Amino acid sequence: MSNQPLPAVSFQGVTKRYGVVTAASGVNLDISQGEFFALLGSSGSGKTTLLMLLAGFEKPTEGRVLMSGTSVSDVPPHRRQIGVVFQNYALFPHLTAADNVAYPLKMRRVGRSEREARVNAALGLVNLSDRGSSFPSQLSGGQQQRVALARALVFGPDVLLMDEPLGALDRRLRDQMQLELKRIQGELGITVIYVTHDQSEAMAMANRIGVMSGGRLLQVADPETIYAAPSSHFVARFIGECSILRVAATDGGKGYEIAGARQSLRSPAKDPFDIVVRPENVSIRASVEAASDDAFGVAATVRDITYLGAGWRVALELSDGQSLLASIMRGDDVAGRLAPGLPVVARWAPASVAVLPTEGSS
Ligand code: ADP
Ligand code: MG
């Protein structure tokens, strides 16, 4: 026996089909107690399906779902100790905020005085102590979402599921709510599974991210690893800007050659592979100024320049015809000289290179 605590949630070989559509496919995933886990993927990738299977509103076609090591196949939704918050708050319009929050307690036959105490605590947690008597129509979108959150937490669930909960809010309110959700999660130590299609939201909030596509979980890792070491072309492209470059392996995979330049890899890679380079890791110098030493550098031409405020995004064409993005900051030597057609030398450090298995024909 190991003395690892049991995962709060486990998906074991879970597949869900709706007729000919496979909404979730062979999903294996353990989520730890107290973890803030983000399910990230574009629309239709199967995120909501996984939440529905966990909450018990749907049954898996294959596989099973466990909570704290016990299969919940035969446990109805209201017995699973799971709170759920959706994008459309789904508040009862004819009930006050306090009565909305009290609802799950009434369902569970919690007595009046305890109910009042718990409702007050939950409204306090979401900073709405003074709005208990307001009806949903009298509250802003952000406040309604707080009420929905209080309602999901009031009965002390083990796991909180949130399905694109901030999608209907504007940018500023969303940033503020992100911080608040993190605070609340920290205070309660609750396990959160958070569905989003927004990679920056997932990066900002989660301890770990699971990237989904076509019902499959492509990669599960902490945000830094997902960003710096994506496991596939899809994940690399989905998480922020990057360039994926075709290279020729050298030295049996200890290094690579691109457009006549050679660089060693930090660790050997299995041939054939591509490399991923993030724009912020690329530096460029005008060719006339580049030192003619034997350091790694790839000849390129500036094709396009986009002003971003803090700097510029520069699209380059390498001498072998491949495209490379670089982000250039205000203070960079080359900044004042950027112009389409400018011949440059592009560089990046071996430590900033991620290696991907080459895919079919792209
Ligand atoms: P996401 O939440 O990532 O946008 P969903 O889990 O909602 O994705 O959907 C995954 C796939 O399953 C989609 O192709 C969707 O159309 C399909 N799907 C989801 N729910 C149902 C359902 N109740 N009946 C039929 N197809 C469904
Ligand atoms: Mg969805």
Side-chain angles (χ1 to χ4, degrees):
M1 282 293 285
S2 80
N3 39 20
Q4 283 269 329
L6 290 164
V9 171
S10 297
F11 292 89
Q12 298 186 341
V14 170
T15 292
K16 176 67 183 177
R17 290 189 205 93
Y18 295 105
V20 295
V21 176
T22 303
S25 182
V27 171
N28 290 299
L29 174 64
D30 285 347
I31 295 171
S32 307
Q33 211 79 52
E35 193 169 10
F36 197 118
F37 190 92
L39 276 175
L40 174 66
S42 46
S43 178
S45 58
K47 308 180 298 295
T48 297
T49 297
L50 288 188
L51 292 196
M52 292 296 118
L53 292 167
L54 173 55
F57 300 124
E58 297 285 356
K59 285 198 178 303
T61 313
E62 289 163 25
R64 54 184 201 155
V65 179
L66 292 80
M67 292 184 72
S68 300
T70 306
S71 169
V72 290
S73 302
D74 299 321
V75 182
H78 65 277
R79 288 277 185 74
R80 292 194 183 190
Q81 290 301 317
I82 292 177
V84 188
V85 178
F86 297 103
Q87 176 175 338
N88 54 348
Y89 326 119
L91 297 178
F92 303 112
H94 59 287
L95 296 182
T96 63
D99 287 340
N100 266 282
V101 176
Y103 186 80
L105 300 176
K106 280 192 176 161
M107 296 292 289
R108 289 169 172 77
R109 303 191 180 286
V110 174
R112 188 189 184 90
S113 63
E114 188 186 342
R115 215 162 64 210
E116 275 174 12
R118 288 227 227 160
V119 167
N120 286 336
L123 285 173
L125 188 68
V126 300
N127 287 324
L128 278 182
S129 293
D130 51 345
R131 300 307 298 270
S133 56
S134 302
F135 287 91
S137 62
Q138 298 168 320
L139 298 170
S140 70
Q143 289 169 332
Q144 290 180 52
Q145 195 56 305
R146 285 162 198 262
V147 175
L149 179 60
R151 186 178 60 181
L153 292 171
V154 73
F155 59 95
D158 300 326
V159 177
L160 175 66
L161 309 183
M162 307 190 87
D163 197 348
E164 316 246 5
L166 308 182
L169 306 180
D170 66 46
R171 178 89 254 165
R172 204 169 51 86
L173 204 51
R174 206 152 67 217
D175 292 347
Q176 186 190 330
M177 282 294 285
Q178 283 178 10
L179 290 175
E180 220 165 317
L181 280 172
K182 286 292 285 178
R183 170 186 64 80
I184 289 168
Q185 192 246 351
E187 272 177 36
L188 300 180
I190 193 173
T191 307
V192 174
I193 306 180
Y194 189 98
V195 160
T196 180
H197 61 264
D198 178 344
Q199 51 99 7
S200 62
E201 187 166 82
M203 302 278 274
M205 301 188 76
N207 305 121
R208 282 194 308 156
I209 297 174
V211 181
M212 291 197 75
S213 174
R216 289 181 184 280
L217 209 43
L218 297 184
Q219 185 173 8
V220 177
D222 60 278
E224 291 79 8
T225 302
I226 292 258
Y227 188 80
S231 64
S232 63
H233 283 222
F234 182 92
V235 174
R237 289 221 166 83
F238 200 75
I239 309 285
E241 280 191 315
C242 68
S243 308
I244 299 179
L245 301 169
R246 273 176 289 108
V247 298
T250 58
D251 240 346
K254 289 200 189 113
Y256 65 89
E257 179 175 330
I258 180 165
R262 286 170 171 241
Q263 189 171 60
S264 300
L265 290 168
R266 271 182 315 170
S267 46
K270 196 165 163 289
D271 194 19
F273 60 86
D274 301 325
I275 63 166
V276 185
V277 184
R278 299 284 180 190
E280 66 273 21
N281 294 324
V282 175
S283 64
I284 57 180
R285 297 180 116 198
S287 293
V288 291
E289 293 179 355
S292 57
D293 55 17
D294 56 1
F296 174 78
V298 184
T301 307
V302 173
R303 287 297 175 221
D304 191 55
I305 303 151
T306 309
Y307 181 54
L308 299 174
W312 296 264
R313 189 183 48 237
V314 182
L316 303 167
E317 184 180 328
L318 303 183
S319 61
D320 68 357
Q322 299 195 78
S323 302
L324 176 70
L325 287 175
S327 61
I328 301 304
M329 293 293 126
R330 233 166 233 300
D332 288 354
D333 286 344
V334 76
R337 216 157 317 177
L338 287 171
L342 180 74
V344 296
V345 172
R347 295 165 196 266
W348 53 86
S352 68
V353 170
V355 169
L356 295 177
T358 296
E359 282 178 9
S361 61
S362 60

